[in-house]
Amino acid sequence: MRSWQIFKIWGIPFKVHPYWFAVLFLFSWSISNQVNLTSGDIYNIKESWIIGFLTSFFLLSSIIFHEVFHTFVSLNQGVKIKKITFYFLGAILQIDKYCQTSLGNIKIAIVRPLLCFATASILLLISKNIASQEQIAVNVISRVGIFNLFLGFLNLIPIGSLDGGNLLKSIIWHFSGSKNKGRNFLNKVNLLLSFFVLIFGIVCLFRFNFYFGFILSFLGLFGVNSSKSESQFFKIENILKFSKVSEIKLKPLRKIEYDSNFSEFNTLIKNKKDESDKYFFVTNNGRWTGFVDENILKTVSLRKWERNFVGDFKKPIDSFETVSYNDKLWRTIERLEETNEGFLLVLNAADIPLGMIDRSKIGNFVLNKLGFNLPSEIVNKLNFKNHYPLGIELPRIINSMKKKGDL
């Protein structure tokens, strides 16, 4: 569903998702029921709904207020934000560029919890000093204050992408000087907490409350899987960042002598194994002199196939998209995505062709580095399609690394 813009500050659109209205109603209904159960002798049904709606509305308003300040701090620390969408108890930020310093990330991570605690303190103080006859106002203000207090502590939990997780990661980064150490430490903390929640949930499942135990077990299992996925993602980033083309097994070049006629050329095309590769590289006494596209068969009359030489139609090597065997893997992937057909010619230091590289070769290399060895049947099918295996979005990962300043 399309989100609706509520206002725009510093060129950044602040939007609210339509699901928010359903959640607003459910949250209001939940609070009104809770008021009826605990204070039914004080408030009637209408007043309970007023308390429920106003609590939900002002809680959202405080979250928007906090997000505006959080955005201001983020912009001052070099973050580039494209848009912000609210989902009632939080917001999703579409970021084009992340903060590049540990201290800046600490400031960004701490601002939201501090604002929650400050708002809670002010509201709870106000609720204690309001005239006792303003019971609805006292109830709403105190509830919004308590919810802000809860959100402040929730945001400080050192897990995932919560402010507490980013804060812990940034603190480790600041004192160790290594961003990777911060990420690894946070992932280990997430894994430990997830195991604790999983074990506690299993105990509750069989000995106390089945429903509560099921929810905790599910959350713990989800956390364990997320930590493992984050660990694998981190490994992929390191492979892309530090590996070179020279480590990859290249696709051999298909050769043809410059004085071969088109009938011989046609025979080679019919016998090829990889249907997606249409290039042949021309040699002359062992030296590479250029390349030809198999589509040139269509430009030469069948009557002239015996008399015309392939070498007369060759293109120079330097007109082919190339990459050095010493280039980093992530740069190679960027170059590969810029090509129309997804092939690059790999050259050595003397500009001599060594082989071809495509998406499937790179993807299989990454999987092997991760410890996944695909059967030859699957590899052959992937080579035919020239796709990254198992849906690995390597270009997207590289783009994300650039936004975070890791490349």
Side-chain angles (χ1 to χ4, degrees), residues 214-263:
F214 175 79
I215 296 296
L216 286 179
S217 300
F218 176 79
L219 292 175
L221 188 60
F222 177 80
V224 170
N225 290 330
S226 296
S227 297
K228 291 182 177 180
S229 298
E230 175 66 19
S231 180
Q232 290 288 76
F233 190 80
F234 184 64
K235 289 179 182 179
I236 293 175
E237 288 184 340
N238 282 335
I239 292 170
L240 297 176
K241 188 174 182 180
F242 298 110
S243 297
K244 295 183 178 181
V245 176
S246 56
E247 302 175 47
I248 301 176
K249 183 179 179 181
L250 304 177
K251 180 186 293 186
L253 299 178
R254 295 189 298 171
K255 304 177 184 178
I256 186 169
E257 282 294 323
Y258 80 101
D259 56 356
S260 299
N261 61 37
F262 276 80
S263 293

Side-chain angles (χ1 to χ4, degrees), residues 167-206:
L167 181 61
L168 176 62
K169 176 176 62 179
S170 301
I171 290 173
I172 300 297
W173 175 15
H174 180 71
F175 287 101
S176 67
S178 172
K179 187 177 183 179
N180 289 340
K181 286 184 178 179
R183 288 182 61 185
N184 279 328
F185 186 81
L186 175 61
N187 197 46
K188 290 177 181 178
V189 170
N190 288 344
L191 185 61
L192 183 63
L193 290 175
S194 298
F195 269 122
F196 174 78
V197 172
L198 176 61
I199 294 171
F200 185 68
I202 292 173
V203 173
C204 290
L205 192 67
F206 293 102

Side-chain angles (χ1 to χ4, degrees), residues 5 32 79 90 138 167 220 252 378 394:
Q5 182 172 316
S32 65
V79 179
V138 172
L167 181 61
I378 297 178
L394 296 181

